[in-house]
Amino acid sequence: MISRKDIRPFAEAIYSTISKSALRQFARDTKFVQRKGKLKPEDFLVLCSLSADSVSDESLHELCGTLSLQSKTSLSKQALDSRFNDNATAFLKEIFFQLLSKQDWFVAPIDENRMFSRIRIMDATSFQLPDHLTNYLGTNGSGVKVQLEYEWYQGRFLHTSVHHGKASDRKAALDVEPSLRPEDLCLRDLGYYSAENLKKIDKQGASYISRIPTNTKLWLWDTHRGWLPVDPMQDAENISPGETVDYGFIRVVITHEPA
């Protein structure tokens, strides 16, 4: 569970963009709030978006405990359960789109001497759905995966898409290839690794930072001995903390890459 101290900066960032009075009005407009009650809409928002690793994985008892700890609101399991309805969905969607429309407010200072024109961070989140939603196949029943790409300098979302829960991250990387520009830097985790995708990023004059899978072999050219295998893990044992090794031009060979 995230501590109350850790949540405060995130909550304050939301309230600096959408005031509590405006947030409560959205709750009334979406009929999430129809009469005065114990549960404030801002506390429900924090509960669903900041307080837990995954609301769907926690019991009502745990969520009530989190709510009591974070906002001093005492609510029964039955009362909290009744609030997870279509109106709550409409309220959370409205807040998301309101924040999305105001993303220009989150502009980071731009260094004129920066190495890259854009830093593109791509990641995905997955969660289960009710079993009757069979159009979205998950790893265990029904599930959905949301892909999101964020640009660091301007604080803008570049890409968002919804897929079934088993959709490949590698294939999702193909969706953003048309928007690549020279001097972009792409940051992604190992799930997006694809030799073909990295070639296309390089062809566009962009750069990337990625871990490499275990089935990847690296080779370094030596003018006297030809191509020699490189083992970064072994080389790391011989350098001091903070020291780096620049291999220059290397050849990357993937022994097997799944389709």
Side-chain angles (χ1 to χ4, degrees):
M1 182 186 300
I2 304 175
S3 71
R4 188 175 183 180
K5 181 179 179 181
D6 292 334
I7 287 175
R8 190 179 300 115
F10 293 100
E12 290 177 352
I14 293 175
Y15 301 147
S16 67
T17 307
I18 304 177
S19 67
K20 287 186 180 180
S21 60
L23 191 148
R24 291 172 182 175
Q25 184 60 52
F26 291 132
R28 290 189 290 269
D29 293 342
T30 57
K31 299 187 183 305
F32 174 69
V33 170
Q34 302 183 49
R35 61 181 181 273
K36 188 174 181 180
K38 288 184 178 181
L39 182 62
K40 297 177 182 178
E42 59 267 27
D43 294 335
F44 183 76
L45 174 64
V46 169
L47 177 70
C48 293
S49 59
L50 299 176
S51 296
D53 293 334
S54 176
V55 172
S56 63
D57 291 338
E58 296 198 0
S59 68
L60 287 169
H61 178 76
E62 291 172 322
L63 292 175
C64 287
T66 299
L67 189 62
S68 176
L69 177 65
Q70 299 297 342
S71 61
K72 308 301 181 184
T73 299
S74 178
L75 213 63
S76 69
K77 293 187 295 182
Q78 294 78 8
L80 180 59
D81 183 50
S82 68
R83 303 314 305 272
F84 289 101
N85 52 37
D86 291 342
N87 294 337
T89 301
F91 168 63
L92 294 174
K93 285 175 65 177
E94 180 62 28
I95 297 304
F96 173 80
F97 287 117
Q98 287 292 328
L99 291 172
L100 184 65
S101 69
K102 298 177 185 296
Q103 62 178 313
D104 286 337
W105 291 25
F106 301 97
V107 177
I110 296 178
D111 181 1
E112 294 182 356
N113 297 318
R114 66 182 189 268
M115 294 178 61
F116 305 102
S117 60
R118 297 187 298 180
I119 297 180
R120 308 172 56 145
I121 306 170
M122 191 171 186
D123 204 356
T125 184
S126 302
F127 51 90
Q128 286 184 282
L129 295 174
D131 290 338
H132 70 273
L133 299 175
T134 55
N135 288 338
Y136 288 91
L137 181 63
T139 55
N140 183 19
S142 298
V144 67
K145 177 179 286 188
V146 180
Q147 294 285 348
L148 187 67
E149 187 175 35
Y150 179 79
E151 201 287 304
W152 174 256
Y153 285 125
Q154 295 296 326
R156 298 183 60 86
F157 295 122
L158 299 179
H159 171 83
T160 183
S161 57
V162 179
H163 309 266
H164 65 80
K166 287 188 174 182
S168 168
D169 288 343
R170 293 173 59 246
K171 292 182 179 179
L174 301 177
D175 296 338
V176 302
E177 284 181 355
S179 65
L180 287 171
R181 299 177 187 171
E183 299 183 355
D184 279 353
L185 173 64
C186 301
L187 302 181
R188 301 167 186 169
D189 64 25
L190 189 56
Y192 294 91
Y193 188 91
S194 164
E196 289 302 316
N197 182 245
L198 296 185
K199 289 178 182 178
K200 292 179 180 179
I201 292 175
D202 182 66
K203 186 176 180 180
Q204 291 292 334
S207 302
Y208 52 86
I209 294 178
S210 172
R211 294 168 55 199
I212 58 175
T214 55
N215 61 339
T216 305
K217 304 298 182 182
L218 305 179
W219 301 82
L220 180 66
W221 177 256
D222 183 280
T223 54
H224 301 292
R225 294 179 292 173
W227 290 102
L228 302 176
V230 177
D231 187 346
M233 293 297 294
Q234 183 177 356
D235 293 343
E237 297 177 357
N238 301 318
I239 62 176
S240 303
E243 186 180 354
T244 60
V245 176
D246 186 353
Y247 291 111
F249 179 80
I250 60 174
R251 174 176 289 178
V252 180
V253 178
I254 299 179
T255 57
H256 171 69
E257 185 170 10

